[in-house]
Amino acid sequence: MANKASYLRKKTIDLLKKLKVKYKLFFAVQLLSLLAVSAVSIFLPYAEGRIINSMVDGSFVNSVLKWAAVIIGLFLVRMVLSYILSYFEYYLLPYKSASAQINFIQALLGKKLTSLADFEGSYLHNRVQQDIECILDFILLKIPQMINMAFSLFVLIFTIFYIQPQVSLLIFLIVIIYVVLYKFFKNSLYNIFYILSEAHNKFYNDCNSVYERLSEIKAKENRSFEQNHLICSQNHLFSLVFRNFKLKYLVSGGQIVLNFFAQIFILVVGGIYVSAGKLTIGLLTTIMQYLSLLWQNIEGIFALAVSYQAYLAAKMRMLELYELADDVVGCENCTNIDDLELKDFNIKSLGTNKLLFSKNLNLHFKRGHIYELRGKNGIGKSTLFMYLLGLYTEPDSGEIIYNRTRAEEINFNLLRAKKIAVLLQNEAVYDISVGTYAQIYLSEAADTSQNVLCEIGRLFTKLNNTPWTEVVDKSLLELSGGERQLLRIIVTLLKPEAEMILLDEPYNNLAVNVMTQLNDLLLEKKQNKIIAVISHAAELIPGAEEIVLE
């Protein structure tokens, strides 16, 4: 058991380090504040009991004023502590959660692209956000609460034992029953939390997919199909929600029954002792308030123990993502790209053992040339680009060589950042201004940024017949499909320091006259670069060397 606890603690600390969450100060302040609140809550019933006894004894004025001043002081302390706890829970915790999500995205970008292929973006976003919030909430809020409640429980049991030993024996029995109840249900709670989280993420992803495809659904008028799909997803989710409800009801029902009989017993015993003169009314009032606090702490600890199973499920899901295969990053830094070779290169299509190309590829790309890749849909043109970018690795045969250096030895992170510019097919559209998007490649070349921005604006104005000043502050979402594609091509072609440019179906949505002018721009840019273009256009780009994949 000790080894298991040590292992879980190590895993938790490792996860927090991966998420770059600084938790020690947060944890300490939260715990100390909660302990102070508990101390105030425990002392207040005693002060109130003293006031009641003073009223009965006749020493009303002096004693009541003294204890009233104490209560007011405790009230002010409680207000300050409430501010601290609220600040931590409602400001610092969401801030740390958002930071942890950003840090996780950076870690995710270091994973192999093939290992992420099974996850849709909206599903992954919802899953990660939900799990990180659950983990941080438990570690930074609920664990301090649990320690505080355990401390308060110990103090309350000791106090009640000192006042009335018989009552404390009943409390010990109740605590034992709670432990047995938790042990009985904990595995079921963990399982339902895990599969319910998965179902919730899947339903969110299905709904998000509909929001992203509203125009497509209306155009095809297949709303009935989409609605039935959502209803199926909803039914699956809520079948699990109902299972969760039944399990939670069994747990809470057991608590209610236990507390009901315990309170009846305490009231009967307390009444008998007051009637016999063994307890004063003030002391009985104090005991009843202490017992109320004690029930709250017992139920609170039990609820936190139930939350622990949700935390374990969330932590397991996060660790599964962290354990996805990492990118293999070589040690060789390529300072330039003079030539690129594919030797006996071939790959298999995803999910099958069938080679994509009928013959192994032996290709040689050199500076100063434009290469136009052609072939039927699904032949593997876009996949080939992924290998050239180092995003896919380990071909089924052959190798890729940059400047006589094998691809697996190259640091592709640096190569892509500085020396390769790429336009992928069907790049996602997101809410960012045109002017901001134009600077996507300029952070590494601050000295030339202004010149490049001016050139982007000049070319966009020339090719689109629209002044750059009219679109620079617009969102990408406000541009037409053709305008967005034109902007992407220009930004890609003007990436500073790029020595290889890869364009996947760049002329989609573009007018013929714009394509002609872009061809001229490609011819101009090829002088000191390798340019590869995937195209289905009827005519070859002037001056391009055709490569037919089959």
Side-chain angles (χ1 to χ4, degrees):
M1 183 65 70
N3 289 337
K4 183 179 180 181
S6 176
Y7 172 77
L8 289 174
R9 184 166 56 253
K10 182 178 181 302
K11 279 286 189 182
T12 300
I13 293 172
D14 288 346
L15 181 58
L16 290 175
K17 286 180 178 177
K18 289 175 179 177
L19 293 171
K20 299 180 182 178
V21 175
K22 296 179 180 178
Y23 64 94
K24 292 182 180 179
L25 180 61
F26 188 113
F27 186 93
V29 174
Q30 182 80 1
L31 179 58
L32 290 174
S33 299
L34 288 169
L35 289 173
V37 169
S38 294
V40 170
S41 300
I42 290 172
F43 189 75
L44 270 175
Y46 174 75
E48 292 168 358
R50 290 298 297 266
I51 290 176
I52 293 172
N53 282 341
S54 297
M55 294 171 66
V56 173
D57 294 343
S59 55
F60 178 75
V61 177
N62 293 335
S63 191
V64 166
L65 290 177
K66 181 178 71 173
W67 287 106
V70 170
I71 289 173
I72 291 171
L74 292 174
F75 167 77
L76 295 175
V77 170
R78 183 69 180 84
M79 289 298 295
V80 172
L81 293 170
S82 176
Y83 174 82
I84 294 172
L85 291 170
S86 297
Y87 176 77
F88 273 61
E89 180 173 358
Y90 300 117
Y91 175 74
L92 280 186
L93 183 63
Y95 179 83
K96 287 184 176 293
S97 176
S99 298
Q101 289 181 56
I102 292 173
N103 292 329
F104 177 76
I105 288 172
Q106 293 304 310
L108 203 64
L109 290 171
K111 300 297 180 182
K112 279 188 176 181
L113 201 58
T114 49
S115 67
L116 299 173
D118 294 334
F119 301 102
E120 291 188 70
S122 58
Y123 162 83
L124 202 57
H125 174 209
N126 183 244
R127 169 175 170 169
V128 169
Q129 179 181 1
Q130 177 181 308
D131 290 343
I132 285 179
E133 288 176 354
C134 177
I135 290 166
L136 294 187
D137 178 74
F138 186 81
I139 293 172
L140 299 180
L141 292 184
K142 288 187 169 56
I143 290 181
Q145 290 172 9
M146 187 174 290
I147 295 172
N148 171 60
M149 288 178 181
F151 169 77
S152 301
L153 189 64
F154 173 79
V155 172
L156 287 167
I157 290 175
F158 178 80
T159 303
I160 294 172
F161 180 80
Y162 178 78
I163 297 172
Q164 192 58 254
Q166 292 91 332
V167 176
S168 62
L169 292 175
L170 174 66
I171 293 168
F172 280 120
L173 178 62
I174 291 171
V175 170
I176 291 171
I177 294 173
Y178 265 103
V179 171
V180 172
L181 192 66
Y182 172 71
K183 287 284 188 182
F184 181 78
F185 284 108
K186 73 171 187 175
N187 289 335
S188 298
L189 289 167
Y190 173 84
N191 291 331
I192 192 64
F193 283 136
Y194 190 98
I195 59 175
L196 184 58
S197 295
E198 285 291 314
H200 180 273
N201 297 149
K202 179 66 168 60
F203 179 70
Y204 172 89
N205 182 61
D206 290 341
C207 291
N208 192 65
S209 173
V210 171
Y211 284 119
E212 291 176 346
R213 297 181 294 111
L214 288 175
S215 58
E216 174 192 329
I217 293 168
K218 286 180 68 66
K220 295 182 178 181
E221 200 53 49
N222 59 346
R223 64 184 72 187
S224 296
F225 171 82
E226 297 292 344
Q227 184 181 23
N228 290 336
H229 179 70
L230 288 179
I231 290 172
C232 288
S233 182
Q234 178 196 33
N235 290 341
H236 174 63
L237 171 62
F238 279 88
S239 68
L240 296 174
V241 169
F242 188 70
R243 282 175 56 188
N244 184 51
F245 152 73
K246 291 194 292 185
L247 186 61
K248 291 281 188 70
Y249 178 74
L250 287 174
V251 173
S252 63
Q255 291 178 262
I256 292 170
V257 171
L258 189 60
N259 290 345
F260 175 75
F261 285 107
Q263 287 175 2
I264 290 177
F265 178 82
I266 297 298
L267 285 171
V268 171
V269 171
I272 293 172
Y273 272 70
V274 170
S275 299
K278 296 180 180 180
L279 275 179
T280 64
I281 294 176
L283 193 56
L284 177 62
T285 302
T286 301
I287 290 174
M288 293 303 295
Q289 291 194 57
Y290 280 154
L291 285 172
S292 177
L293 286 173
L294 187 137
W295 300 139
Q296 291 176 22
N297 278 277
I298 291 176
E299 290 181 357
I301 290 174
F302 187 81
L304 291 175
V306 171
S307 298
Y308 176 66
Q309 298 304 318
Y311 155 75
L312 287 179
K315 185 171 75 171
M316 178 61 69
R317 296 192 337 145
M318 285 299 298
L319 290 173
E320 286 172 359
L321 294 177
Y322 268 112
E323 289 168 3
L324 293 174
D326 290 323
D327 273 335
V328 179
V329 180
C331 300
E332 189 72 27
N333 294 335
C334 280
T335 57
N336 62 299
I337 303 175
D338 292 321
D339 61 74
L340 166 64
E341 289 186 81
L342 278 71
K343 293 185 176 181
D344 293 321
F345 180 88
N346 214 329
I347 50 180
K348 291 178 181 176
S349 59
L350 294 177
T352 71
N353 291 318
K354 183 181 177 182
L355 290 171
L356 283 175
F357 309 120
S358 59
K359 296 180 180 179
N360 291 350
L361 301 182
N362 288 282
L363 304 174
H364 195 180
F365 300 88
K366 298 179 181 180
R367 278 193 189 224
H369 294 262
I370 300 174
Y371 301 91
E372 189 165 352
L373 279 63
R374 291 173 169 268
K376 66 180 182 180
N377 291 330
I379 193 62
K381 301 182 295 297
S382 298
T383 304
L384 176 59
F385 268 19
M386 291 299 182
Y387 278 91
L388 298 182
L389 289 164
L391 296 174
Y392 290 174
T393 57
E394 301 174 1
D396 292 280
S397 69
E399 57 187 355
I400 299 174
I401 300 174
Y402 280 84
N403 300 344
R404 295 169 296 282
T405 302
R406 298 171 67 218
E408 54 266 32
E409 300 173 7
I410 294 173
N411 185 330
F412 268 100
N413 291 343
L414 291 177
L415 193 65
R416 289 194 299 267
K418 290 183 175 292
K419 299 300 178 182
I420 301 177
V422 60
L423 174 65
L424 299 177
Q425 188 179 17
N426 301 323
E427 290 187 0
V429 183
Y430 54 106
D431 190 8
I432 185 175
S433 75
V434 170
T436 301
Y437 180 82
Q439 301 176 55
I440 191 170
Y441 289 132
L442 301 183
S443 60
E444 299 294 331
D447 54 334
T448 61
S449 294
Q450 195 57 44
N451 291 335
V452 174
L453 281 174
C454 289
E455 182 64 6
I456 290 173
R458 185 188 71 79
L459 286 173
F460 188 87
T461 299
K462 175 185 175 183
L463 297 174
N464 197 50
N465 293 321
T466 304
W468 177 248
T469 52
E470 292 185 8
V471 298
V472 68
D473 293 324
K474 286 185 176 182
S475 166
L476 283 183
L477 299 173
E478 297 179 66
L479 300 184
S480 69
E483 287 176 323
R484 279 196 297 266
Q485 188 70 356
L486 177 60
L487 177 64
R488 289 170 178 149
I489 294 172
I490 293 172
V491 170
T492 302
L493 292 177
L494 295 184
K495 177 178 178 178
E497 301 184 55
E499 296 179 357
M500 182 168 77
I501 297 174
L502 304 178
L503 304 172
D504 192 348
E505 299 282 4
Y507 293 162
N508 286 344
N509 300 318
L510 296 181
V512 174
N513 65 313
V514 175
M515 293 168 56
T516 302
Q517 294 180 79
L518 283 173
N519 286 339
D520 294 338
L521 185 58
L522 287 177
L523 290 171
E524 177 188 326
K525 290 294 179 182
K526 80 169 186 176
Q527 302 307 319
N528 59 349
K529 303 179 190 297
I530 297 171
I531 299 179
V533 182
I534 293 174
S535 176
H536 288 283
E539 297 181 3
L540 277 175
I541 297 170
E545 299 177 28
E546 184 180 25
I547 298 174
V548 179
L549 302 179
E550 53 187 16

